[in-house]
Amino acid sequence: MVKEVKTLKSFSQSAEKFEGSHLLCPGCGHGIIVREVLNAVDGPIVLGNSTGCLEVCSAVYPHTSWDVPWIHIGFENGSTAISGVESMYKALERKGKYKGQRPKFVAFGGDGASYDIGFQFISGCLERGHDMTYICLDNENYANTGGQRSGSTPMGASTSTTPAGKVSFGKKERKKDLPLIMAAHGIPYTAQIAPNKWKDMNKKIKTALDTEGPCFINALSPCPTEWKYHSSLAIEMTDLAVDCLIFPLFEIFHGQELKITYRPRNVLPVRDYLGVQKRFAHLFKKENEHIIEALQKDVDARWEYLQRREEAKV
Amino acid sequence: MKNWQEFEAGAVLFPFEKQGQEELGKHNNERTYTTNSSFTASVANWRVEKPVHNKEVCINCFNCWVYCPDASILSREGKMSGIDYEHCKGCGVCVDVCPTNPKSLLMFDNLESEQEALAKWPQKAEGLKKKSYRTEGGYNGF
Ligand SMILES: Cc1ncc(C[n+]2csc(CCOP(=O)(O)OP(=O)(O)O)c2C)c(N)n1
Ligand code: SF4
Ligand code: SF4
Ligand code: SF4
């Protein structure tokens, strides 16, 4: 049902399922991720979508950019909407009223919708064991409403509600570790993906969608508008993020068994990643340099932790 | 068409005229879309610059296809066949990820003709650093 994508040449023969003339900003990571996910799915699929850039920009009346069934719903409900659809199909099957191929059930939500406002709803879906995959499009801010900080915003980032200036270096709190929290539900599959690593991403999407039960995927989605970099650099941003390990790529089976799926040949310093985005520009002032050091320390510690967990298989 | 105030709650928009599942298997330009599909709309006026494709240098790696956020790289039978200028917003991602030297996609002024653009194509550059924007140290202005 989900293709194994071996070469881009074969992948490019896929029928498009997410159409152009959506209204996402030029160079938006959401569009890249959605295309990489949907174009690999061959059978029927139903999507839920929490409010956010993706939902708002792909369904401006009278247009829809979706060629597959897609439900437009509230900020916190992407997950619950699709869990309801899944339950409906199961009930219809039980009553013998639906005999077709069971669709894949997938929900998209931004990090605001996933780390913060829809958090308990996703947790409920995972705990109830629905056969669905939740994909968080993690652009590390509430982009659709003007770039407010979210639980996913990294420490030190300047956002519209944590502006950097004379009295502040930007967001004071660390990024919430959502994938590990979700994995702690003991769900069959959790993973982090980035759109630049299309092969790794395809494997994980295939595993998630083809696994029975609830799966959670956190996808790094570069946002030129709020991270403040040139629109052409989406893939370079994600290259830097995975190579400096601020966004490590891994997967977790059954809430245990952690596997790191990408080990950079050259690990870059975090400052290389920070240095190309204006949201971090103020960190390079002398008085804020300690924040860069703190971020680097966090990244190193987390990488160490992931490696140890992988070794210990816990 | 109804306006949004007349729209009933729980309304559905259909992108295809005919059987959805059947249409879905077809290549975009063989499908019959309804005017509800954004495919029938254009964002060409968002663009200041446009990417131009040079077939002579292209190696059909499809990096541009997979990374275009706007489904605007056209592909036919395993060949990159050009750009869909109705849906391309001119972000430049495709140019950035194109691996050839010289690049097989370059940005030009939106008003420049394809012929003019191809006539200006640069030669192979020596010692080109791929990630040229990366700098040591501080914020570099992007
Ligand atoms: C309950 C509720 N609160 C607030 C809003 C307003 N709102 C709409 S989109 C949005 C931001 C979405 O941010 P995120 O989930 O991170 O997605 P992004 O736009 O970044 O893709 C907000 C606050 C809403 N629609 N519903
Ligand atoms: S604000 Fe960011 S996430 Fe939203 S459409 Fe623009 S680039 Fe995409
Ligand atoms: S400029 Fe952007 S939108 Fe246009 S074809 Fe290239 S990647 Fe796609
Ligand atoms: S990225 Fe460049 S070389 Fe590869 S298919 Fe596109 S235009 Fe051709």
Side-chain angles (χ1 to χ4, degrees), chain A residues 62-195:
Chain A
H63 289 133
T64 172
S65 299
W66 303 89
D67 293 339
V68 292
W70 173 86
I71 301 170
H72 169 157
I73 200 154
F75 200 0
E76 58 286 351
N77 301 126
S79 57
T80 37
I82 211 66
S83 76
V85 175
E86 183 253 14
S87 301
M88 178 197 78
Y89 269 94
K90 279 192 174 159
L92 290 175
E93 281 172 0
R94 221 169 26 240
K95 292 177 185 162
K97 289 186 179 163
Y98 179 75
K99 296 196 174 72
Q101 187 181 358
R102 189 190 286 182
K104 301 289 181 196
F105 305 103
V106 176
F108 287 111
D111 53 284
S114 314
Y115 282 68
D116 303 339
I117 299 182
F119 182 70
Q120 61 161 324
F121 298 78
I122 305 169
S123 177
C125 290
L126 303 185
E127 184 268 326
R128 291 193 301 273
H130 293 282
D131 183 15
M132 58 180 274
T133 297
Y134 187 94
I135 303 178
C136 169
L137 302 170
D138 189 358
N139 59 14
E140 305 188 325
N141 74 96
Y142 289 73
N144 189 240
T145 38
Q148 292 82 7
R149 62 86 93 184
S150 80
S152 165
T153 307
M155 182 172 63
S158 183
T159 71
S160 58
T161 44
T162 60
K166 275 198 199 104
V167 291
S168 170
F169 58 78
K171 191 189 168 192
K172 294 195 175 46
E173 302 79 16
R174 295 181 157 77
K175 180 175 169 121
K176 190 193 277 188
D177 207 338
L178 191 64
L180 295 194
I181 297 171
M182 292 309 180
H185 289 77
I187 52 175
Y189 190 67
T190 312
Q192 278 213 137
I193 59 175

Side-chain angles (χ1 to χ4, degrees), chain A:
Chain A
M1 289 259 288
V2 181
K3 281 192 279 241
E4 191 183 335
V5 177
K6 293 217 171 92
T7 65
L8 289 181
K9 187 174 258 183
S10 62
F11 195 22
S12 75
Q13 318 263 352
S14 311
E16 203 65 55
K17 296 187 188 69
F18 183 62
E19 300 291 356
S21 288
H22 55 65
L23 303 181
L24 295 166
C25 303
C28 173
H30 289 2
I32 307 176
I33 295 166
V34 167
R35 287 189 61 241
E36 283 187 50
V37 172
L38 285 191
N39 290 346
V41 178
D42 273 337
I45 181 167
V46 185
L47 301 172
N49 201 166
S50 295
T51 302
C53 281
L54 178 67
E55 178 262 347
V56 166
C57 297
S58 61
V60 178
Y61 186 74
H63 289 133
T64 172
S65 299
W66 303 89
D67 293 339
V68 292
W70 173 86
I71 301 170
H72 169 157
I73 200 154
F75 200 0
E76 58 286 351
N77 301 126
S79 57
T80 37
I82 211 66
S83 76
V85 175
E86 183 253 14
S87 301
M88 178 197 78
Y89 269 94
K90 279 192 174 159
L92 290 175
E93 281 172 0
R94 221 169 26 240
K95 292 177 185 162
K97 289 186 179 163
Y98 179 75
K99 296 196 174 72
Q101 187 181 358
R102 189 190 286 182
K104 301 289 181 196
F105 305 103
V106 176
F108 287 111
D111 53 284
S114 314
Y115 282 68
D116 303 339
I117 299 182
F119 182 70
Q120 61 161 324
F121 298 78
I122 305 169
S123 177
C125 290
L126 303 185
E127 184 268 326
R128 291 193 301 273
H130 293 282
D131 183 15
M132 58 180 274
T133 297
Y134 187 94
I135 303 178
C136 169
L137 302 170
D138 189 358
N139 59 14
E140 305 188 325
N141 74 96
Y142 289 73
N144 189 240
T145 38
Q148 292 82 7
R149 62 86 93 184
S150 80
S152 165
T153 307
M155 182 172 63
S158 183
T159 71
S160 58
T161 44
T162 60
K166 275 198 199 104
V167 291
S168 170
F169 58 78
K171 191 189 168 192
K172 294 195 175 46
E173 302 79 16
R174 295 181 157 77
K175 180 175 169 121
K176 190 193 277 188
D177 207 338
L178 191 64
L180 295 194
I181 297 171
M182 292 309 180
H185 289 77
I187 52 175
Y189 190 67
T190 312
Q192 278 213 137
I193 59 175
N196 56 329
K197 300 289 176 202
W198 56 265
K199 219 174 207 168
D200 176 73
M201 174 163 169
N202 169 258
K203 260 197 205 146
K204 290 172 177 166
I205 293 294
K206 184 171 168 54
T207 309
L209 267 61
D210 288 348
T211 294
E212 177 124 22
C215 301
F216 182 85
I217 302 253
N218 196 41
L220 182 67
S221 186
C223 168
T225 307
E226 297 301 341
W227 296 10
K228 301 186 171 64
Y229 63 83
H230 189 269
S231 65
S232 64
L233 299 175
I235 297 307
E236 305 216 23
M237 287 303 141
T238 42
D239 280 348
L240 283 166
V242 299
D243 283 347
C244 79
L245 298 172
I246 201 165
F247 199 88
L249 301 180
F250 59 84
E251 56 193 0
I252 305 173
F253 296 90
H254 307 291
Q256 300 182 355
E257 227 181 304
L258 185 145
K259 277 199 189 119
I260 293 168
T261 58
Y262 174 69
R263 285 189 165 74
R265 228 170 291 156
N266 287 318
V267 177
L268 299 172
V270 169
R271 56 189 303 128
D272 283 14
Y273 172 69
L274 306 175
V276 290
Q277 301 170 37
K278 203 171 172 189
R279 64 175 172 154
F280 296 119
H282 57 282
L283 296 184
F284 291 88
K285 286 187 192 152
K286 218 171 161 112
E287 66 271 26
N288 291 332
E289 282 270 349
H290 68 282
I291 301 299
I292 301 185
E293 278 162 37
L295 280 166
Q296 182 70 59
K297 245 191 181 159
D298 278 1
V299 166
D300 293 345
R302 187 153 180 268
W303 182 239
E304 179 68 29
Y305 169 78
L306 292 175
Q307 285 178 309
R308 282 204 200 171
R309 256 191 84 165
E310 184 181 42
E311 262 173 40
K313 294 200 165 56
V314 288

Side-chain angles (χ1 to χ4, degrees), chain A residues 8-29 31-32 35-36 39 42-44 58-59 61-68 195-198 227-237 239-240 243 268 271-272 274-282 284, chain B residues 1-4 7 13-16 20-21 24-28 31 33 35-43 46 59-73 75-79 86-87 89-94 96-97 130-142:
Chain A
L8 289 181
K9 187 174 258 183
S10 62
F11 195 22
S12 75
Q13 318 263 352
S14 311
E16 203 65 55
K17 296 187 188 69
F18 183 62
E19 300 291 356
S21 288
H22 55 65
L23 303 181
L24 295 166
C25 303
C28 173
I32 307 176
R35 287 189 61 241
E36 283 187 50
N39 290 346
D42 273 337
S58 61
Y61 186 74
H63 289 133
T64 172
S65 299
W66 303 89
D67 293 339
V68 292
N196 56 329
K197 300 289 176 202
W198 56 265
W227 296 10
K228 301 186 171 64
Y229 63 83
H230 189 269
S231 65
S232 64
L233 299 175
I235 297 307
E236 305 216 23
M237 287 303 141
D239 280 348
L240 283 166
D243 283 347
L268 299 172
R271 56 189 303 128
D272 283 14
L274 306 175
V276 290
Q277 301 170 37
K278 203 171 172 189
R279 64 175 172 154
F280 296 119
H282 57 282
F284 291 88
Chain B
M1 189 177 292
K2 286 178 181 171
N3 72 36
W4 67 269
F7 224 46
L13 293 177
F14 292 97
F16 303 130
Q21 204 61 46
L24 200 54
K26 295 181 187 165
H27 195 272
N28 294 46
R31 294 174 179 170
Y33 290 98
T35 49
N36 282 146
S37 172
S38 69
F39 185 81
T40 61
S42 173
V43 285
W46 287 36
I59 54 169
N60 295 304
C61 68
F62 288 101
N63 279 351
C64 54
W65 178 84
V66 73
Y67 295 134
C68 171
D70 295 86
S72 299
I73 300 288
S75 102
R76 271 345 278 271
E77 276 110 40
K79 288 222 156 52
E86 292 303 322
H87 299 137
K89 295 174 187 152
C91 67
V93 167
C94 54
D96 191 62
V97 299
K130 197 182 159 253
K131 314 279 180 188
S132 50
Y133 74 92
R134 282 182 196 172
T135 51
E136 304 290 314
Y139 173 64
N140 70 2
F142 274 106

